Amino acid sequence: MRVGIYFDLRNPPPWRQSWSRVYGFALEMCEEADRLGLDSVWFSEHHGFEDGYLPQPLTMAAAVAARTRRVRLGTAVVPAPLHAAPELAEQAAIVDIISDGRLDLGLGTGYRVPEYRLYGADLTKRYTTTDQRVREIRGLWAESVVTPGPVQDPLPIWLGYQGPQGARRAGRLGTGLLSLNPALLTPYREGLTESGHDVSAGRMQGSFTTFVTEDPDGDWPVVRKHLAYQWDSYRRYMVEGTDQPAPRPIDPEKWRERGLEATGVGQFLYGTPQTVAHAIREYTAGLPVEGVFLWASLAGMPEEMIARQVQLIAGKLRPLLADA
C-alpha cells in the first residue's frame, strides 16, 4: 500500500501568517516527503473560503514537480464541471511533463453553490458533466488535439465519487475510484463489468483526516482546536447558498472517541503510528487499495507539528502499511 500526504493550503484567520510562508512551507514539506520516501503528495481545490483554501491544485502540483524527483503528485479533487476539458488536459499534461510522468489526475463534481455560481457552471448536471470531462480529456490526449501531451500513456484518472451510483459511474468509465469506502466496492465492480472492463483492474485510494503522534494526550489540546476549525468550516460551506440551516459546531472529543466510525462529514484517525496503521488495515481489508494519503496539516497547525507528523508518517507509519 502506498502512503502519501495531503495539502489544502489553508491559512485561517485565528492563526494567519504570510501567504508566501504558507506556500513556501508546504513546498518544503513536499520536498521532505520526497526525501523521506513517501509515495505521494495530494492537493485539493475550493474557492472563496475565508482561509484561502487552495484554488488551483494543478498549479501547486507543477511547483512541487519542479522541486521533487520521485514522489507522485495527485489532485483530490479538481471539480471538473468548473473547468473546460482542454484547460484540464493541458494543465495536467504540463504537470506530467515537468514531473516526468508522476501525476494522478483526480476529478470530482464539487458541491458548493457559490463555486458553481462563480464559474457559471450548472450544479444540477455536475455528474454528467464530470463523466463527459473524463471522455473529453482522454480524447484530447489520444487525438493530440492539445499539445504537448502527457508523458504517461495513459495518464491515471481517478474519480472522487462517494455514493454507490457514482462508484458505478467510475467503473463504467474505467477510472480508479478515489474513495476508501468499503460499501462502494460492489457498485464500482458492477460498473466495471457493465462496460467490459476487467474487474481485477479496479483500484481504489483515498484520504483520512488524520493526525499521527507519539504523544496523543500531549498533542490533543492543540490538535482539537485545528480539527474543530477545519471541519466546522467544511460544514458551513456545505450549506452556503442553500436553504439549509447552519450546522452546530462539532465536538472534537466525540471524534477522537469514534475514530473511523461515520460522522456525517468525514472520518478522523488520531493516535500513534501503530494505532493508525492498525485502523487503516482493518478499514481497508479486502479492498483493492493502491494507496492512502493523510492530511499533512489541520487548518493552520503549527509548523513544527506538521513537520513532526510528516516524519512520523514516512518513518514509522509507512513501513507498517508496506505489505497491506
Side-chain angles (χ1 to χ4, degrees):
M1 182 184 293
R2 296 177 180 173
V3 178
I5 53 176
Y6 191 24
F7 293 89
D8 57 12
L9 283 294
R10 289 168 173 256
N11 191 10
W15 306 287
R16 183 78 79 197
Q17 55 182 316
S18 80
W19 280 107
S20 294
R21 181 56 194 169
V22 171
Y23 277 74
F25 181 70
L27 288 169
E28 291 173 16
M29 288 299 96
C30 291
E31 290 181 286
E32 182 75 346
D34 192 51
R35 186 185 70 81
L36 293 173
L38 279 171
D39 299 294
S40 60
V41 294
W42 294 76
F43 309 98
S44 51
E45 174 178 337
H46 273 299
H47 303 272
F49 275 36
E50 67 175 358
D51 53 28
Y53 199 118
L54 176 63
Q56 296 294 334
L58 285 168
T59 301
M60 184 67 183
V64 174
R67 297 175 62 155
T68 56
R69 292 293 175 266
R70 54 161 301 281
V71 69
R72 290 196 65 82
L73 315 169
T75 57
V77 292
V78 173
L82 305 186
H83 305 278
E87 172 199 349
L88 292 173
E90 290 174 343
Q91 288 195 21
I94 295 303
V95 175
D96 205 49
I97 290 168
I98 295 171
S99 66
D100 194 22
R102 290 185 278 133
L103 179 65
D104 286 279
L105 181 61
L107 303 175
T109 64
Y111 55 86
R112 290 190 64 229
V113 172
E115 293 179 346
Y116 271 78
R117 288 175 179 165
L118 177 66
Y119 277 82
D122 187 346
L123 185 65
T124 66
K125 298 179 179 178
R126 60 191 182 277
Y127 286 97
T128 55
T129 301
T130 302
D131 289 354
Q132 184 61 25
R133 290 291 184 272
V134 174
R135 300 186 187 97
E136 290 171 340
I137 291 168
R138 285 172 168 169
L140 291 168
W141 287 335
E143 298 166 17
S144 299
V145 176
V146 300
T147 57
V151 172
Q152 298 176 92
D153 184 19
L155 189 153
I157 295 178
W158 299 78
L159 276 171
Y161 286 163
Q162 300 306 310
Q165 293 184 11
R168 187 186 294 268
R169 298 172 87 118
R172 288 172 181 161
L173 287 164
T175 71
L177 181 60
L178 208 54
S179 173
L180 297 172
N181 185 347
L184 301 186
L185 178 58
T186 296
Y188 175 48
R189 285 179 166 169
E190 289 172 350
L192 288 166
T193 300
E194 288 170 16
S195 288
H197 300 290
D198 188 344
V199 172
S200 65
R203 61 207 194 280
M204 301 170 72
Q205 62 180 324
S207 68
F208 292 108
T209 303
T210 312
F211 191 78
V212 182
T213 173
E214 293 184 308
D215 185 9
D217 291 332
D219 283 337
W220 181 244
V222 176
V223 171
R224 71 185 305 278
K225 292 188 296 184
H226 295 273
L227 174 68
Y229 173 89
Q230 177 157 313
W231 280 111
D232 281 339
S233 68
Y234 268 132
R235 284 153 54 86
R236 292 197 313 272
Y237 288 125
M238 282 180 181
V239 301
E240 186 182 13
T242 74
D243 56 4
Q244 299 181 48
R248 292 186 299 176
I250 67 161
D251 181 354
E253 300 299 335
K254 291 183 179 179
W255 275 46
R256 185 180 179 185
E257 294 168 4
R258 296 172 72 179
L260 279 176
E261 184 180 344
T263 64
V265 291
Q267 300 160 327
F268 180 56
L269 276 178
Y270 181 76
T272 65
Q274 293 77 17
T275 299
V276 173
H278 177 73
I280 291 174
R281 280 179 171 274
E282 283 201 332
Y283 191 80
T284 61
L287 301 178
V289 175
E290 184 172 297
V292 298
F293 42 97
L294 314 177
W295 288 94
S297 171
L298 298 174
M301 183 170 279
E303 290 181 357
E304 63 271 15
M305 294 183 74
I306 299 169
R308 183 165 16 109
Q309 184 183 210
V310 170
Q311 291 166 356
L312 283 174
I313 292 172
K316 296 195 174 182
L317 178 66
R318 182 175 178 271
L320 295 172
L321 295 172
D323 63 346

